Amino acid sequence: MSAIAEKNNTRILEEQQSEVRKLVLDGLKQAKEGKTKDFNAVCDRLEKKYINAAL
């Protein structure tokens, strides 16, 4: 049973990492398109949001 739980946790972690990567890439795309006025402000906001997020 423990091996199943570990595999499930690994899968969930990988999905979360994939989602974060997608969000970062989307943010970079918006910055390149000039849709953000201050990229540092965007990064600060994301950091505040996710700094204490449960993994």
Side-chain angles (χ1 to χ4, degrees), residues 1-2 5 19-20 33 35 38 42 50:
M1 188 74 161
S2 178
E19 182 178 340
V20 169
E33 294 173 350
K35 292 183 179 179
D38 185 1
V42 172
Y50 292 108

Side-chain angles (χ1 to χ4, degrees), residues 1-50:
M1 188 74 161
S2 178
I4 293 172
E6 187 174 325
K7 281 185 179 183
N8 191 34
N9 288 340
T10 301
R11 182 185 56 79
I12 291 170
L13 179 60
E14 289 171 351
E15 287 174 1
Q16 290 173 340
Q17 289 173 335
S18 177
E19 182 178 340
V20 169
R21 284 187 198 105
K22 181 186 178 306
L23 291 171
V24 169
L25 291 174
D26 288 346
L28 289 172
K29 180 181 175 187
Q30 288 177 356
K32 287 179 183 177
E33 294 173 350
K35 292 183 179 179
T36 61
K37 293 182 181 179
D38 185 1
F39 188 66
N40 288 331
V42 172
C43 292
D44 289 344
R45 188 176 68 239
L46 288 171
E47 184 178 6
K48 286 178 186 176
K49 183 175 182 177
Y50 292 108

